[in-house]
Amino acid sequence: MKPSDKKLGLAIQLFLMRNGIQIEDVARQMGITGDALSNLIHGRRGFKNDTLVKLANTNAFKEGQFSLTQLRALRAMDDYSFEELILALVEYIKQGEIERLPKDFFQSLQATLEREGFPPTLANKKHALLSLIQEDPS
């Protein structure tokens, strides 16, 4: 399969490849064809929220701890620039949204950072993120 040029599509492809999962098996669980899922992965069609919910609820994605939130975040990366996402994050913080995060959010985020890792060249960025996370947000 040709690599997707979309961040969401590429992440899905890599997940399937690393776990030895066939696209047709996931598509079947979603109630769509393999061609339809391929079109979504390659950006020929856009992932709607209900399609992401179906994908996140497949056995493979549940077992692989690939959550709906992660899928939506990757879609946002395809839809918005890094600058736009950072500015949106700042606005959320200014509006007090950080106080509304689930109590276990930072532990979950830290576990994700540890599990998925960072390239060695970005180790200092990972350290900076972990330092922010380990501070008490309350």
Side-chain angles (χ1 to χ4, degrees):
M1 180 186 305
K2 178 182 143 197
S4 176
D5 62 349
K6 300 290 185 180
K7 293 185 184 316
L8 174 57
L10 185 59
I12 293 168
Q13 285 179 312
L14 291 173
F15 174 79
L16 296 176
M17 184 182 70
R18 288 178 180 146
N19 291 286
I21 301 165
Q22 296 297 312
I23 192 171
E24 292 80 12
D25 295 336
V26 173
R28 193 174 316 109
Q29 289 180 43
M30 295 173 65
I32 63 175
T33 66
D35 285 342
L37 183 53
S38 178
N39 285 333
L40 290 164
I41 287 171
H42 286 91
R44 293 184 287 270
R45 299 271 187 236
F47 276 97
K48 295 182 181 177
N49 283 331
D50 64 328
T51 309
L52 288 179
V53 168
K54 289 177 185 177
L55 182 60
N57 285 324
T58 63
N59 294 335
F61 279 71
K62 282 190 215 174
E63 291 170 10
Q65 299 178 356
F66 203 140
S67 71
L68 176 59
T69 302
Q70 289 170 300
L71 291 168
R72 287 181 174 161
L74 287 161
R75 182 181 60 188
M77 291 174 69
D78 285 330
D79 292 343
Y80 303 98
S81 71
F82 185 58
E83 179 181 3
E84 290 168 321
L85 292 171
I86 294 295
L87 290 172
L89 177 64
V90 169
E91 288 301 318
Y92 270 124
I93 292 169
K94 285 173 27 181
Q95 294 174 15
E97 292 296 320
I98 199 163
E99 303 300 328
R100 292 177 191 70
L101 289 171
K103 298 258 186 251
D104 67 341
F105 175 79
F106 291 101
Q107 292 91 351
S108 176
L109 182 58
Q110 183 170 0
T112 299
L113 289 172
E114 295 295 342
R115 180 178 62 245
E116 295 176 12
F118 269 52
T121 57
L122 297 176
N124 60 335
K125 305 294 186 210
K126 177 183 173 184
H127 178 70
L129 279 172
L130 288 172
S131 295
L132 288 172
I133 291 168
Q134 291 168 352
E135 290 182 22
D136 184 3
S138 54

